[in-house]
Amino acid sequence: MKRNVNRVYEKILESIKEIPIIDTHEHIPAPILYEPPKEPIAFLLRGYFPSDLLSAGLSQRDLQILQDDDVPTERKWPVFKRYWLKTKYTAYAREVKYIMRSYGEEAVTLESLKRFGEKINRLTGEKYIEFLESLNIKFVLVNIFGTIDELKRFIDGKIDLPDCFKLLIPLPVFHTSVRNFQSIQEIAGIINRTVTSFDEFLDTVKEIFKRLKERGAIGIKDQSAYQRSINFSLSTKEEAEHLFNKCLADPNSSLGWPEAKPLDDFLFHEYMRYARDLDLPVQIHTGHMAGIRNRVDKANASHFAQVLEVHREVAFDLFHGNWPYMGDILFLIKNYPNAYLNFCWVHIIDPIYSIELLERSIVTVPHKKINGFGGDYGAPELIPAHLSLAKDNIARALSNLVLRDWISEREAINIAADLLYNNPNELFKLSLKSYAS
């Protein structure tokens, strides 16, 4: 039986390695804006492993030193070694090991780090895009331009994206930041307007969304779960306008929380109507949050059911497997036709959870509603580590279902092609030719 398990898994994995990839979520900047790493430990800490170091007791001050490209490796090593030994078996640590091995280093030592530092492939110019192409990534859905200045420059044509980058509109800019007169006028300034009423502000934001779509945006992304619960109540326009006018009437006035919640809630629902009118899918952060010391309960996708119920014509791509709330996400994807399951980031948060979630989702929900991969990184060099683990998780989940006689090997490979390529291609209307394995 063990030999059979290995044979099925290995066969499926080899087939998965040939499937082109649509990376459904990254924060990697445009090549022209990217600063490649210089020092090896700082490079390795551009991903999520710092969270485990902090969880093990590393201080924020020491982390800042470890992440500083200008601090020599020899100075960092004693602290890094102490905390590496405490954390080296986590999934986040696996990305560190993968990167080191990709440069021919099997162990993490001071000597291996020095050798690794001499061999770092610094992705600049055309090398950046060639690197993504080498991973067989056809499109990358990017959540970038999180500042007013970047959005304005992009709309004005002063920042261009590579053809393989597909932009998501950063929604928190347009609701969680609406707290005072200055923020309101800064948003309007993206398209060189000044607003004097709530209606003018709403019209301005809709025009911004239209122009972003004209510039190539293919969806909307909201990660406001980092700041608030994703339970967006149905507040009235009158409630929202009252708070908005409070800001507009007094440049020295600023809304606190939860005072601002009725305004924030109304704006979110209004923007969902814009998503419907502009035919833009919406990606929603659910579950675990980067860093430490946050409250994951407010990000549970179960809080989002009301939005799914109200905005039935909008497709919602729910992120991160809702870790650690597996049952809640399965219920939502199964019961709401407009809810989709996205495995971005979760493969490297918890591989065992990811394998179980994928097995259970295939037997409980239509597999065409599952998007299989998103790296969720700010550094392109880290994507291969996560992608490799994601392919492994998918192969293990599918081989388990084959061995249960739930699906055939051929069906498993077809499902993998849908998860990694065909499903996001269809959901985000990327107009690529479908892939048949």
Side-chain angles (χ1 to χ4, degrees), residues 183-395:
S183 63
I184 290 168
Q185 300 302 346
E186 285 179 348
I187 290 170
I190 293 173
I191 55 172
N192 301 314
R193 290 186 183 180
T194 300
V195 299
T196 64
S197 70
F198 194 38
D199 285 336
E200 284 184 2
F201 178 78
L202 296 176
D203 180 71
T204 295
V205 173
K206 189 166 189 177
E207 180 61 26
I208 292 170
F209 286 11
K210 288 179 180 177
R211 295 191 193 183
L212 287 169
K213 183 176 181 180
E214 290 169 0
R215 286 281 284 139
I218 50 83
I220 295 171
K221 164 70 192 306
D222 188 85
Q223 62 267 35
S224 58
Y226 278 88
Q227 290 84 39
R228 53 155 296 163
S229 168
I230 57 174
N231 178 13
F232 295 95
S233 301
L234 289 168
S235 57
T236 66
K237 185 177 180 181
E238 288 72 23
E239 291 175 294
E241 190 167 18
H242 171 74
L243 292 169
F244 184 89
N245 286 342
K246 184 177 179 180
C247 297
L248 206 59
D250 182 1
N252 296 314
S253 177
S254 184
L255 301 177
W257 191 266
E259 178 189 17
K261 189 176 187 300
L263 173 59
D264 200 87
D265 289 348
F266 177 85
L267 290 175
F268 184 88
H269 283 283
E270 183 71 4
Y271 299 156
M272 295 307 97
R273 289 183 275 273
Y274 298 171
R276 175 199 64 201
D277 296 343
L278 294 170
D279 195 22
L280 293 172
V282 179
Q283 296 185 325
I284 300 292
H285 179 108
T286 68
H288 185 57
M289 290 159 285
I292 61 171
R293 301 186 190 279
N294 211 327
R295 293 292 300 272
V296 71
D297 56 323
K298 71 183 189 302
N300 187 344
S302 63
H303 294 304
F304 202 69
Q306 179 176 254
V307 177
L308 297 174
E309 195 76 70
V310 172
H311 300 283
R312 300 185 182 193
E313 297 177 72
V314 178
F316 291 96
D317 193 29
L318 305 183
F319 269 20
H320 312 316
N322 199 40
W323 190 90
Y325 303 107
M326 185 183 296
D328 289 329
I329 194 68
L330 287 171
F331 171 82
L332 293 175
I333 306 303
K334 186 175 184 66
N335 285 278
Y336 290 92
N338 56 333
Y340 294 76
L341 171 59
N342 194 314
F343 275 76
C344 63
W345 190 23
V346 71
H347 288 291
I348 207 160
I349 295 173
D350 186 341
I352 296 173
Y353 176 98
S354 299
I355 292 167
E356 181 183 352
L357 176 59
L358 184 53
E359 285 187 61
R360 291 180 61 182
S361 62
I362 288 172
V363 302
T364 58
V365 308
H367 80 279
K368 296 296 289 183
K369 299 178 70 182
I370 306 170
N371 295 317
F373 175 73
D376 205 356
Y377 285 122
E381 297 92 344
L382 301 178
I383 295 174
H386 194 170
L387 181 57
S388 174
L389 183 56
K391 290 178 179 179
D392 186 80
N393 291 346
I394 292 170

Side-chain angles (χ1 to χ4, degrees), residues 58 62 77-87:
L58 181 72
D62 282 340
W77 173 246
V79 173
F80 183 78
K81 177 184 178 182
R82 182 159 65 251
Y83 286 93
W84 170 253
L85 294 175
K86 296 180 179 182
T87 54

Side-chain angles (χ1 to χ4, degrees), residues 40-41 44 73 77 80-81 84 100 105-116:
I41 291 177
L44 295 172
T73 305
W77 173 246
F80 183 78
K81 177 184 178 182
W84 170 253
M100 293 290 288
E105 302 294 343
E106 291 297 321
V108 179
T109 66
L110 178 57
E111 291 71 25
S112 68
L113 286 168
K114 288 180 178 179
R115 291 191 297 268
F116 165 57

Side-chain angles (χ1 to χ4, degrees), residues 15-32:
S15 296
I16 287 175
K17 290 178 179 179
E18 301 301 316
I19 297 170
I21 304 297
I22 293 175
D23 185 339
T24 63
H25 182 53
E26 296 290 354
H27 297 282
I28 55 176
I32 194 172

